[in-house]
Amino acid sequence: MSFLRYPHLERLGTTETNGITYGRAYVFPKIDGTNSSIWFDGRIRFGSRNRELSLEPDNAGFMAANITQTRYSEFFGRYPRYRLFGEWLVPHTLRGYLEDAWNKFYVFDVFDDETRQFLSYDTYKPILNEFSIDYIPCCWHIVTGK
């Protein structure tokens, strides 16, 4: 699997988002870090918003800090077709996070490379919990009809 850029998200109210709030809708807090990804292609690979990473250049230390994390090798040992998208929380625009929040990868989406679809939050949450992988928790969800 090669590098895959996270898809562009449209703002509510645009034509592309018509009907998006029908059914189950999740609300997540937005954290201000640097967009990052981790996937498996014979070995664990790391990406930024726009490119695959190497140790030089890295994405604000993202790859260097996570390359030896056993939770990712264990995760990809069981789920090699999944791709983790998230935020690497390093000082950026907002700097008021708690000290123990910094320098962590918070998953906000999981993509299945085989089906070419994103997993639902309800599907990926228990999987990430099993491997102690941090993620952005849902703070509210609603179910609506048309």
Side-chain angles (χ1 to χ4, degrees):
M1 294 184 291
S2 60
F3 173 79
L4 178 67
R5 191 172 199 263
Y6 191 74
H8 172 73
L9 299 178
E10 295 291 336
R11 293 189 187 278
L12 282 176
T14 64
T15 305
E16 292 83 0
T17 63
N18 284 343
I20 198 168
T21 58
Y22 299 140
R24 186 175 296 258
Y26 296 87
V27 178
F28 298 90
K30 167 72 172 98
I31 63 173
D32 184 48
T34 181
N35 189 282
S36 302
S37 60
I38 306 175
W39 72 98
F40 186 78
D41 185 13
R43 65 181 174 93
I44 297 176
R45 300 192 180 263
F46 298 85
S48 68
R49 177 181 303 281
N50 297 309
R51 63 184 168 79
E52 183 172 349
L53 298 175
S54 64
L55 289 172
E56 290 298 326
D58 198 345
N59 187 27
F62 171 61
M63 183 176 177
N66 289 287
I67 199 164
T68 59
Q69 293 287 328
T70 58
R71 61 184 157 189
Y72 297 119
S73 57
E74 292 168 0
F75 171 82
F76 289 115
R78 183 149 343 133
Y79 301 101
R81 68 188 215 196
Y82 290 171
R83 185 180 299 256
L84 305 175
F85 287 101
E87 288 287 313
W88 172 238
L89 190 59
V90 290
H92 197 258
T93 306
L94 300 176
R95 298 177 181 264
Y97 295 100
L98 297 175
E99 280 303 313
D100 65 346
W102 295 112
N103 298 310
K104 292 183 182 176
F105 179 58
Y106 296 93
V107 173
F108 58 65
D109 236 334
V110 178
F111 185 76
D112 184 333
D113 276 302
E114 187 174 294
T115 65
R116 307 302 292 168
Q117 294 186 12
F118 286 95
L119 277 59
S120 71
Y121 175 75
D122 293 329
T123 300
Y124 74 70
K125 178 184 172 185
I127 295 170
L128 298 181
N129 281 335
E130 179 182 349
F131 294 94
S132 299
I133 294 174
D134 296 312
Y135 56 89
I136 300 174
C138 175
C139 55
W140 185 59
H141 79 271
I142 59 170
V143 178
T144 63
K146 279 192 165 183

